[in-house]
Amino acid sequence: AVVSTQSTGEAVQCQHGEFLLGVEHRLGSQGEWTRRSNVILASIKQSSLPSHNTPQYIPIAANEHVEELKELGRSNETLYYIRVPHKAVEEGEEQDTSSYVSLVVRACSIVESDLSHSINIHMDSTGYVTGLSLYTPVEECSGRTTSASSFSTHYTVSFPIVGASPDVHSFIAMKEKEEKKKAAESQDKRSFLAKYWMYILPVFLVLMMSMGGQ
């Protein structure tokens, strides 16, 4: 299937059941948002498995604006923005451009890391993005530039881990068994003689009579 993105107009080839997220960036607070890459995810249910959490990454080299980023990176105060739509789209869906999840870092941290960075997209099982995080090897900027000419980006997708469900039925059965046992024990707390006197008395009388006859 072919999914057309509204912000760039390019067509992205997706297989049936796959989901698409467009990653946009902005250089500085006054810059314009442009699409820098597309991320294609396998079926979201499959992606919740550890072996499926690395999506396909399709860069858009013409929109990376690396040289502009290098110039902005000379200032430690210039910010670099990244955002993705709030929901991934699949075949037949139009991308929602009204709601985004964003992150912001200092541009110099990207430049001084030789344009190498990792982006983690946090999603739920319905395809909604719940958060973004970015890691660069360089945290403190020193003013160093780079000869790198394109981004080196590693994408991962994280899904919430669903814990084991409690065994409610077994717990209820155990409690019912305990209640029945307590009820049975509380029904008759009389002494042994009080409960079985009708059986003991005849035996006692027979013994007395036999002793009297002797």
Side-chain angles (χ1 to χ4, degrees):
V2 176
V3 179
S4 179
T5 57
Q6 295 180 3
S7 60
T8 62
E10 83 276 6
V12 180
Q13 189 74 26
C14 288
Q15 300 299 321
H16 178 69
E18 291 181 332
F19 289 78
L20 172 72
L21 273 175
V23 181
E24 300 181 4
H25 67 162
R26 185 173 73 180
L27 310 180
S29 58
Q30 303 302 317
E32 294 184 0
W33 289 102
T34 56
R35 178 72 60 85
R36 60 165 276 187
S37 62
N38 291 302
V39 173
I40 298 177
L41 304 95
S43 171
I44 289 178
K45 290 183 178 179
Q46 291 179 346
S47 297
S48 62
L49 302 173
S51 59
H52 293 83
N53 68 355
T54 301
Q56 182 183 356
Y57 162 53
I58 306 174
I60 305 174
N63 291 344
E64 288 190 345
H65 306 301
V66 168
E67 295 304 320
E68 295 176 44
L69 180 62
K70 289 181 182 181
E71 288 297 321
L72 293 174
R74 296 179 184 274
S75 171
N76 288 357
E77 303 303 321
T78 304
L79 300 178
Y80 178 66
Y81 301 80
I82 293 178
R83 72 180 185 181
V84 298
H86 193 234
K87 189 178 190 303
V89 296
E90 58 179 332
E91 181 182 3
E93 290 185 318
E94 291 187 2
Q95 188 160 293
D96 181 9
T97 58
S98 62
S99 178
Y100 292 88
V101 178
S102 306
L103 65 82
V104 57
V105 297
R106 289 190 295 172
C108 61
S109 67
I110 301 288
V111 174
E112 296 191 28
S113 297
D114 295 324
L115 306 182
S116 176
H117 51 287
S118 299
I119 296 176
N120 190 21
I121 303 171
H122 306 269
M123 299 183 69
D124 64 18
S125 58
T126 63
Y128 281 92
V129 178
T130 59
L132 283 177
S133 57
L134 184 146
Y135 168 77
T136 59
V138 173
E139 296 182 359
E140 296 295 330
C141 296
S142 62
R144 185 179 68 85
T145 186
T146 180
S147 59
S149 59
S150 62
F151 289 122
S152 175
T153 311
H154 176 68
Y155 281 94
T156 55
V157 179
S158 297
F159 291 83
I161 299 174
V162 180
S165 301
D167 190 353
V168 178
H169 295 292
S170 297
F171 177 77
I172 293 176
M174 181 186 70
K175 296 300 290 184
E176 289 178 347
K177 185 177 180 180
E178 290 179 355
E179 292 297 327
K180 289 180 180 179
K181 184 177 179 181
K182 290 180 180 178
E185 291 175 350
S186 62
Q187 283 179 355
D188 197 348
K189 294 185 177 180
R190 295 175 297 169
S191 66
F192 178 81
L193 289 175
K195 287 190 289 184
Y196 302 106
W197 66 269
M198 70 287 295
Y199 305 108
I200 297 173
L201 182 59
V203 175
F204 177 76
L205 292 175
V206 171
L207 290 173
M208 293 298 293
M209 293 174 63
S210 61
M211 291 174 66
Q214 293 177 359

